[in-house]
Amino acid sequence: MPLQTHENKNAPKRCVWEARDADEHAHNLTDWRQEYDQVSAGAFYGRIDEIQLDEMQIFKEHTSQALRQQCNVWPESLWIGIPRDRTCRINGRPVGEYEVMCQPGRCDFELVTPEAFDIYGLVVSRRLLASAAGESGLALMERAPSTYMRLRLPSHTRKAVTFLIERLLRADRETLAPQVHRDILMMALVEMLQQKVPNDDVPPSYSHRKRVVDQVKRYVDAPEYVPVTMAELCGLTHVSQRTLQYCFTSILGISPVQFLRTARLNRVRRALAHPVDGTTVTGVANDWGFITLASSRETIAVFSANRLPKRWPVIETPHYCSADFLPQRGVGSTPSLRSRSSSMCS
C-alpha cells in the first residue's frame, strides 16, 4: 500500500517503489505484466521512480542483479526503453550503445539485463501517439514487433530524451506541470521518430537459434516440467550439445546448464514465497533437484542474501545436481510473488 497519497486528483501520480525480491520488483511497475528471474547470485535490490501523466507513463528502473525479464506493456500503447549506460538484449538481440528499444502494448517480449542496470522508460497511448506523430507513430504499433524492436538514434537525441525524463523524475511536485511536461516529452518522442533508423541486422542463423531456445523455455515453463539432462534437451531440440550451447550463449548470454539451474532456483524461491502446510526449505530444494547439502557459494548467495520466511531455516550449503542426473519434481508450480515491499506515492 502506498506510504503517501495526495488529494489533488488532477496532479500527476508519482511513485517510488523499492523491493528486495526480483518478483516483487517486477510487479511494482504500474499496469505492466512481468516476471523476473534472477540470474546472478547475491542480494537483490530494485527501485522504480515513476510518474503517470494523462495517457503517458515515464519511469526509471534500477536493478542490482542480472535478470531475465518477461515483459508485457499495457494495451493500446507504445513503449520506448532507453538503457542508461550498459547494454542488454531484447528477444535475444543485443542493443547497441546508441539504440533504444521499442515494443507495442499487449506484446510479450524478453529482456536480458546485466548487473547494476538502469533503464529509462516512456509509454504513450495509441491515441496520444497518433495525435502527435500521425502515421509514422502508428507504424511502430501496427507492424510486426520485430520490425522496430531496436532503433538507432543520434547520440545527442538519445541524451536529450534521457535528460528530460531524469529532470522530470527529479522535479519537486510543486514544479510539475502535467500538460507542459507531457507536451515536451511528446515533442521529444516525435523528434526520435523522425531520426530513428531501425536496426534489423540479424545473423542468418538467428531464427534457428531463437527457436531452439524458445523450445527449451516452453518445456521448462510447462506445468508438467521435471528437471532434465543436457542429453534430453538435445533430443528435445534435435541439435547437438555444442549447438545447444551456442544457441543459449548467443540468445540469452548464458549456457543451457546455467539457464536450467537459475530456472530451478527461481522456482524454489517462488515456492518458498507461497508456502503450503508442511513446506520446508530442504523439501522444496530437493523437489527441484538440489539433492545434497554440499558446498555451493552461488546457491548460498541466492538464498541467504534475499529474504526468506523466518520460520524456515536458510539452506546452508545446497549443492546443484549434476547435468546428468536430476530427480523429478514433487510440487506444483506456484504463482509469482505480487506483494510490494515498500513504496511511496504522491
Side-chain angles (χ1 to χ4, degrees):
M1 186 173 181
L3 301 178
Q4 293 185 2
T5 59
H6 198 282
E7 295 181 356
N8 184 1
K9 296 182 179 180
N10 295 321
K13 183 178 180 182
R14 181 172 185 170
C15 293
V16 177
W17 306 105
E18 292 183 306
R20 300 289 177 177
D21 177 88
D23 266 336
E24 289 184 24
H25 179 78
H27 290 98
N28 280 341
L29 190 56
T30 304
D31 293 331
W32 285 54
R33 292 194 296 107
Q34 300 190 109
E35 183 175 275
Y36 288 4
D37 274 2
Q38 182 174 329
V39 177
S40 59
F44 176 85
Y45 171 74
R47 173 173 170 143
I48 295 174
D49 293 81
E50 175 186 0
I51 292 180
Q52 295 181 56
L53 303 171
D54 187 25
E55 300 186 81
M56 178 183 288
Q57 176 188 36
I58 63 172
F59 62 88
K60 179 182 178 182
E61 178 182 15
H62 169 79
T63 48
S64 64
Q65 298 295 338
L67 300 171
R68 191 168 62 90
Q69 309 178 14
Q70 308 302 317
C71 309
N72 191 301
V73 192
W74 38 279
E76 294 297 304
S77 67
L78 182 76
W79 166 72
I80 301 292
I82 311 173
R84 184 178 181 180
D85 52 16
R86 303 197 68 183
T87 60
C88 62
R89 284 182 170 89
I90 179 169
N91 288 349
R93 302 183 188 182
V95 179
E97 181 180 0
Y98 299 114
E99 294 179 349
V100 301
M101 296 173 286
C102 178
Q103 286 288 276
R106 197 176 285 175
C107 176
D108 293 329
F109 62 95
E110 180 180 67
L111 299 181
V112 177
T113 59
E115 298 178 31
F117 183 70
D118 294 283
I119 185 171
Y120 296 97
L122 172 62
V123 188
V124 298
S125 71
R126 180 188 182 93
R127 192 204 65 80
L128 187 60
L129 183 65
S131 65
E135 293 299 323
S136 63
L138 291 179
L140 296 176
M141 298 183 63
E142 294 174 348
R143 296 189 183 180
S146 60
T147 305
Y148 294 111
M149 185 181 301
R150 299 171 298 170
L151 306 176
R152 294 193 186 102
L153 291 177
S155 176
H156 68 274
T157 301
R158 191 178 184 278
K159 290 180 180 178
V161 175
T162 57
F163 173 80
L164 287 173
I165 295 176
E166 184 72 43
R167 184 174 181 180
L168 180 56
L169 291 171
R170 291 178 176 270
D172 295 331
R173 184 178 182 84
E174 292 74 17
T175 63
L176 287 176
Q179 187 63 46
V180 173
H181 284 101
R182 193 185 75 160
D183 291 346
I184 292 174
L185 285 169
M186 286 308 301
M187 291 173 60
L189 177 59
V190 170
E191 182 178 354
M192 288 173 59
L193 298 182
Q194 291 173 345
Q195 300 184 13
K196 72 180 187 305
V197 178
N199 178 6
D200 54 2
D201 296 338
V202 178
S205 61
Y206 167 80
S207 296
H208 172 68
R209 289 184 277 116
K210 186 71 164 54
R211 281 196 301 271
V212 169
V213 172
D214 286 345
Q215 189 174 2
V216 173
K217 289 195 295 185
R218 284 193 299 270
Y219 181 77
V220 170
D221 289 339
E224 63 274 15
Y225 163 74
V226 295
V228 295
T229 66
M230 284 289 291
E232 290 172 325
L233 287 184
C234 292
L236 174 71
T237 55
H238 305 288
V239 298
S240 67
Q241 185 167 330
R242 180 178 180 180
T243 299
L244 188 66
Q245 175 86 10
Y246 176 64
C247 290
F248 270 83
T249 54
S250 63
I251 298 297
L252 296 182
I254 57 177
S255 70
V257 171
Q258 288 175 302
F259 170 79
L260 291 175
R261 183 177 60 193
T262 57
R264 291 185 293 121
L265 275 172
N266 281 279
R267 278 170 166 75
V268 170
R269 177 172 54 82
R270 292 187 180 108
L272 295 176
H274 297 272
V276 296
D277 291 342
T279 298
T280 65
V281 172
T282 301
V284 174
N286 288 346
D287 286 336
W288 283 101
F290 301 99
I291 58 176
T292 64
L293 297 181
S295 62
S296 177
R297 292 182 180 179
E298 294 164 299
T299 314
I300 267 185
V302 171
F303 281 103
S304 63
N306 291 311
R307 296 183 300 117
L308 284 177
K310 292 183 179 179
R311 64 177 177 271
W312 294 311
V314 172
I315 292 181
E316 294 293 338
T317 52
H319 177 65
Y320 300 122
C321 295
S322 70
D324 296 324
F325 175 75
L326 296 173
Q328 292 191 353
R329 155 180 85 129
V331 297
S333 299
T334 56
S336 298
L337 190 61
R338 293 185 178 273
S339 62
R340 293 174 176 178
S341 53
S342 64
S343 64
M344 180 177 295
C345 293
S346 58

